[in-house]
Amino acid sequence: MDVITTILSGFGLAAPAGLNAWLPLFITGLAHRFELVKLTSPFDLLGNTWVLVVLGVLLTIEVFADKIPAVDSINDVIHTFIRPAAGGVLFAAQTGAIDGMDPVFAFILGAVSAGGVHAVKAAGRPLVTATTGGIGNPLVSLIEDIIAGVSTILALIVPVVAAVIMLIILIVAGWQVWRWRERRKRRREMESGL
């Protein structure tokens, strides 16, 4: 992989961690384990059997917790630091083969990428809860898990496509959250003016 492709793949792996911290780590670990990708040390530990077992358990917990209204909000608060860290690890793991790229800088890029996606998700989930009475939360969470899984696989196979998809999703989701907040703000202004 050339440098640009590797960096795009790093973004493509890091961003989905903002939706689900453990799924991209688990998929990347499996891909390394089955020699579909090569991770440099110390990131090659993601393919270790015990690490994969722990990631699988954490993934199962997150998948179920994120489907329950109110629990999903608590889950988002807990993952406020975990998701960016997972994104940082994934970005640094993918770009570790690039000579001259500082691993701390790579970690920061991944953390910012995953943190941005997580911020949009955490801001949007109360909107889903409020507009659907919590009934829509499991469906939205399932869609987020599918996006995270597919984007991770794409980032490993066709990184440019994965990076573009995650950017588009982030822009659309951010715009929707902004639009919803603006409507709420106008509604409050109208109610206070009456």
Side-chain angles (χ1 to χ4, degrees):
M1 262 195 269
D2 66 11
V3 173
I4 299 297
T5 304
T6 303
I7 290 172
L8 288 174
S9 182
F11 279 117
L13 285 174
L19 296 173
N20 183 316
W22 311 113
L23 186 59
L25 288 168
F26 186 71
I27 291 171
T28 303
L30 283 176
H32 176 73
R33 175 68 174 241
F34 292 109
E35 298 179 8
L36 301 171
V37 297
K38 180 165 176 36
L39 301 176
T40 58
S41 180
F43 305 107
D44 59 344
L45 287 174
L46 286 173
N48 178 287
T49 301
W50 289 108
V51 172
L52 287 170
V53 168
V54 169
L55 288 173
V57 169
L58 292 170
L59 172 59
T60 302
I61 292 168
E62 182 171 5
V63 164
F64 286 108
D66 204 42
K67 307 288 184 282
I68 303 167
V71 174
D72 63 346
S73 295
I74 295 167
N75 187 51
D76 281 340
V77 170
I78 292 169
H79 281 88
T80 297
F81 299 104
I82 296 171
R83 289 180 183 144
V89 167
L90 287 160
F91 194 100
Q94 185 61 22
T95 59
I98 299 176
D99 289 333
M101 179 170 257
D102 182 12
V104 173
F105 180 66
F107 181 87
I108 291 169
L109 287 176
V112 168
S113 177
V117 172
H118 171 70
V120 171
K121 172 189 171 153
R125 190 55 72 87
L127 164 66
V128 173
T129 303
T131 58
T132 68
I135 296 170
N137 292 33
L139 177 61
V140 169
S141 178
L142 178 63
I143 292 168
E144 290 168 351
D145 292 341
I146 291 169
I147 290 170
V150 170
S151 295
T152 300
I153 292 167
L154 285 174
L156 295 170
I157 299 170
V158 281
V160 175
V161 173
V164 169
I165 288 171
M166 287 308 296
L167 181 62
I168 290 168
I169 290 170
L170 185 60
I171 290 169
V172 169
W175 178 73
Q176 289 292 335
V177 169
W178 175 81
R179 205 174 100 192
W180 176 73
R181 288 184 178 211
E182 285 297 311
R183 273 191 256 153
R184 272 183 74 194
K185 181 180 168 186
R186 280 193 302 260
R187 190 176 320 130
R188 274 193 235 126
E189 289 172 354
M190 288 174 53
E191 289 171 357
S192 66
L194 294 177

